[in-house]
Amino acid sequence: MGVSRGGFSSRFGFIMAAAGSAVGLGNIWGFPTQTASNGGAAFVLVYLVLAFCLAYPAFMAELLIGRYGQANAVSSMQKIARNTWQKRFGFVVGFGGIICAALILSFYSIIAGWMMSYAIEPLARLAGFAGAADWLINHSLIRNILFTAFFMGLTIFIIRRGVEEGIEKWSKRLMPMLIGLLILLIIYVFTLDGAREGFNAYLNPDISRVFEPDLLISALGQAFFSLSLGTSVMIIYGSYIAKKENLVTLGAQVTLIDVSIAFLAGLLIIPAMYVAQAQGVAIFAEDGSLISGSNLVFTVLPALFSGMGDVGLFVAFGFFVLMSIAALTSSISMLEGPVSYVVERHDTPREKATTFIGLGILVLSILIVINLEWMLDFVATLSTQYGQPIIAMLCCVFAGWVWHRSDILSEIKQGNEHVEHSLFWKIWPWYTKFVCPTAIGLVFWHSL
Ligand code: PFF
């Protein structure tokens, strides 16, 4: 692409990087968990509709702002603004997204650290280090700090190398591995007793629940978290895409990959729970709902793996490596937002900015680890339930009301000459202007 600030060298590179950001713990853990506690396929159905009708247009707004600006989130927003108030508005939205990404990374890296320690545990057991294996799966302060730091170290390592050599190269390596592992695990689980029952539970919708407000809110929140909206990530990734690329199809492809992987993850997790039940593991909570949250990943699934004997060690390894990869390709995108801002606005070398910001976020993560009982939930709620929807909504307002329609058109036309006559252009501008902000605002207001 040849821009001095770096950029994705190929279409495939961008798709893997953006899908890498989108596909994370939210898909493989969050989506199946939410599906389990929200009426199975009814949730899947609502999620699909909301992902394409609300999250995709908002996702396109962020990508377009970034590609137009060819700069970090704040500078890209401010390039569109024409007066001081609009510039301030742009700053609040761009910088708010960067802070939101940093906050998400601070708790995401702790959970990712747990995934890594659970991935190493079967290896330690295979090598005969039973004591070390037990330590790896027992929640201790020191283990939590070490693995959070280890995971953050990996994230810093990749981001220090830049867009092409870091983000793109590693996403191109890790994402195919993730998809391969996911498919292998699904095939294996399907050969086990109980899987069919789980499959039915996953795919039979309880249609009566489709319009439940709580289900709608959970599905929209999940779709926004999954597409990394409201965090400036897609603005910055958009800024690394070449002008010759067709953004409308690229955005749709990334959304499709994200949604498909969430769907596939459901095909793995829900049947796996019913296999666990067939082996005598309790999978329903006292109120009759399927066990979800951390109990699912750190209690039910490990009980299933240990019931499989020696094969279970390999399956556990595969599963937690899958989780760790998903987390890593997402965490690098969260760190890129703040790093690109400091590099470009404060003229700081990338390596220095990455190390400095990464370590700063690690300090916050350690604070959370020390106060795990209240702080993890607090930071997660603040950033994902408040920060992300508010910033994503403001982004749509910015694209819909501040950015001139003719300027948007000339931006999308690059790489998509005939877009003016497409369905996308007939719908998207007013959709982003009216429907997206109103719908996001309504759902957010209701959730309060
Ligand atoms: N999309 C990621 C997931 O589904 O796990 C989470 C995420 C990544 C959120 C990047 C925010 C972000 F900026």
Side-chain angles (χ1 to χ4, degrees), residues 18-28 97 100-102 104-105 108 222-234 258 326-327 329-331 333-335 384 388:
S21 170
V23 174
L25 298 177
N27 297 60
I28 299 175
C100 197
I104 296 176
L105 181 53
Y108 204 83
Q222 175 63 28
F224 272 64
F225 183 71
S226 194
L227 278 175
S228 316
L229 298 178
T231 59
S232 80
V233 162
M234 291 305 162
D258 183 47
T329 52
S330 294
S331 69
S333 72
M334 296 178 215
L335 187 55
T384 62
Q388 278 193 283

Side-chain angles (χ1 to χ4, degrees), residues 1-8 70 162-164 239-241 344 350:
M1 224 189 308
V3 274
S4 59
R5 55 192 288 275
F8 295 116
Q70 296 285 300
V163 184
E164 203 179 326
S239 78
Y240 297 137
I241 306 175
E344 291 170 13
R350 172 174 272 273

Side-chain angles (χ1 to χ4, degrees), residues 96-426:
I98 289 172
I99 297 291
C100 197
L103 283 178
I104 296 176
L105 181 53
S106 71
F107 77 83
Y108 204 83
S109 57
I110 299 171
I111 301 172
W114 295 340
M115 298 300 171
M116 289 198 147
S117 68
Y118 271 73
I120 300 174
E121 184 257 349
L123 298 184
R125 221 166 275 290
L126 268 178
F129 300 118
D134 290 340
W135 177 80
L136 284 163
I137 53 169
N138 273 320
H139 284 270
S140 66
L141 184 66
I142 186 77
R143 185 212 64 172
N144 287 348
I145 293 180
L146 282 178
F147 275 89
T148 305
F150 178 45
F151 181 79
M152 192 63 95
L154 286 180
T155 308
I156 293 174
F157 168 80
I158 295 177
I159 290 300
R160 275 173 66 99
R161 306 177 88 84
V163 184
E164 203 179 326
E165 283 301 302
I167 300 174
E168 180 172 352
K169 195 170 184 177
W170 281 94
S171 302
K172 282 199 311 209
R173 281 178 185 163
L174 294 172
M175 285 306 287
M177 272 171 72
L178 179 145
I179 295 171
L181 259 176
L182 183 58
I183 292 174
L184 278 180
L185 285 169
I186 293 173
I187 294 173
Y188 178 67
V189 166
F190 262 72
T191 63
L192 303 175
D193 283 346
R196 193 166 293 275
E197 201 188 333
F199 183 71
N200 290 336
Y202 181 46
L203 291 182
N204 275 336
D206 176 358
I207 294 289
S208 65
R209 299 198 54 183
V210 161
F211 294 106
E212 273 181 19
D214 284 350
L215 188 143
L216 285 169
I217 291 164
S218 305
L220 190 68
Q222 175 63 28
F224 272 64
F225 183 71
S226 194
L227 278 175
S228 316
L229 298 178
T231 59
S232 80
V233 162
M234 291 305 162
I235 301 185
I236 188 70
Y237 275 20
S239 78
Y240 297 137
I241 306 175
K243 293 278 187 187
K244 66 176 176 11
E245 302 295 354
N246 181 339
L247 272 194
V248 178
T249 35
L250 280 184
Q253 281 163 347
V254 172
T255 309
L256 198 64
I257 294 179
D258 183 47
V259 167
S260 310
I261 293 188
F263 182 75
L264 281 180
L267 277 184
L268 170 67
I269 304 283
I270 311 271
M273 290 182 81
Y274 281 81
V275 172
Q277 188 189 35
Q279 294 182 1
V281 180
I283 63 165
F284 291 99
E286 274 170 17
D287 63 1
S289 62
L290 271 175
I291 288 178
S292 53
S294 57
N295 278 345
L296 164 62
V297 174
F298 299 117
T299 311
V300 174
L301 295 181
L304 164 68
F305 302 143
S306 70
M308 291 173 174
D310 283 350
V311 186
L313 290 178
F314 294 98
V315 180
F317 176 68
F319 176 74
F320 286 107
V321 167
L322 170 78
M323 289 292 218
S324 306
I325 293 176
L328 187 59
T329 52
S330 294
S331 69
I332 56 178
S333 72
M334 296 178 215
L335 187 55
E336 179 61 16
V339 166
S340 60
Y341 175 79
V342 171
V343 168
E344 291 170 13
R345 305 272 292 202
H346 298 283
D347 216 9
T348 313
R350 172 174 272 273
E351 281 87 356
K352 194 171 157 194
T354 309
T355 310
F356 188 71
I357 297 169
L359 292 181
I361 296 174
L362 178 60
V363 171
L364 179 58
S365 305
I366 292 176
L367 258 177
I368 300 176
V369 165
I370 294 171
N371 301 290
L372 208 57
E373 310 79 49
W374 68 272
M375 225 179 145
L376 181 74
D377 231 31
F378 173 74
V379 178
T381 307
L382 182 73
S383 53
T384 62
Q385 284 184 24
Y386 292 85
Q388 278 193 283
I390 293 177
I391 308 245
M393 180 175 73
L394 293 178
C395 234
C396 290
V397 170
F398 196 86
W401 295 88
V402 174
W403 203 359
H404 273 180
R405 203 182 144 98
S406 54
D407 292 341
I408 304 180
L409 182 60
S410 53
E411 177 54 43
I412 315 191
K413 267 186 151 178
Q414 304 194 53
N416 192 351
E417 239 177 90
H418 305 295
V419 74
E420 213 170 336
H421 311 291
S422 69
L423 188 64
F424 179 84
W425 185 249
K426 288 195 180 91

Side-chain angles (χ1 to χ4, degrees), residues 53-54 57-58 61 220 224 389-401 428-445:
C53 295
L54 276 178
L220 190 68
F224 272 64
I390 293 177
I391 308 245
M393 180 175 73
L394 293 178
C395 234
C396 290
V397 170
F398 196 86
W401 295 88
W428 184 83
W430 65 264
Y431 212 79
T432 316
K433 200 165 180 162
F434 301 106
V435 181
C436 286
T438 315
I440 301 168
L442 273 179
V443 173
F444 176 66
W445 182 60

